[in-house]
Amino acid sequence: MSTRDSYQPYTYITASIHEGNTRLGVSFHTADLSVLAMNVHGIRPYLYFGSAEGQLSISTTGGGPVTAADVDLAREIADAAARYRDECERLHTEQAAVALPGLDEVTA
């Protein structure tokens, strides 16, 4: 088994309460996700990430009409997602180039 085979997908979910504040954490370490952007009743957007183990949804402040802060957050999410995509593409290309010599040995 190669090192790459040892990386199994998982989802890590935590919940804690400290001094009356609830904190939830959801970490998806899998490509097996559903990602959806929807519109609820034509009045507010809804962004959903989910796997068999957990889900995360993001919508407008208080579930109400879209505010300027909601627009700012949506831009931050889009910018971060673009950076994540770019980094995944860059690393995938680099890692594939490194793995190619090993493939020649296996097929020879």
Side-chain angles (χ1 to χ4, degrees), residues 92-105:
H92 183 278
T93 300
E94 285 179 11
Q95 292 164 358
V98 169
L100 288 177
L103 291 177
D104 292 339
E105 294 171 13

Side-chain angles (χ1 to χ4, degrees), residues 33-88:
L33 285 176
S34 295
V35 180
L36 304 169
M38 300 173 277
N39 185 311
V40 179
H41 304 296
I43 59 170
R44 66 184 173 98
Y46 185 85
L47 181 61
Y48 168 89
F49 298 85
S51 72
E53 295 86 16
Q55 67 184 37
L56 168 72
S57 60
I58 300 167
S59 191
T60 55
T61 302
V66 178
T67 67
D70 296 322
V71 173
D72 290 342
L73 176 60
R75 287 185 179 129
E76 286 182 48
I77 291 168
D79 291 346
R83 288 190 305 273
Y84 178 74
R85 178 206 57 220
D86 293 347
E87 191 64 5
C88 284

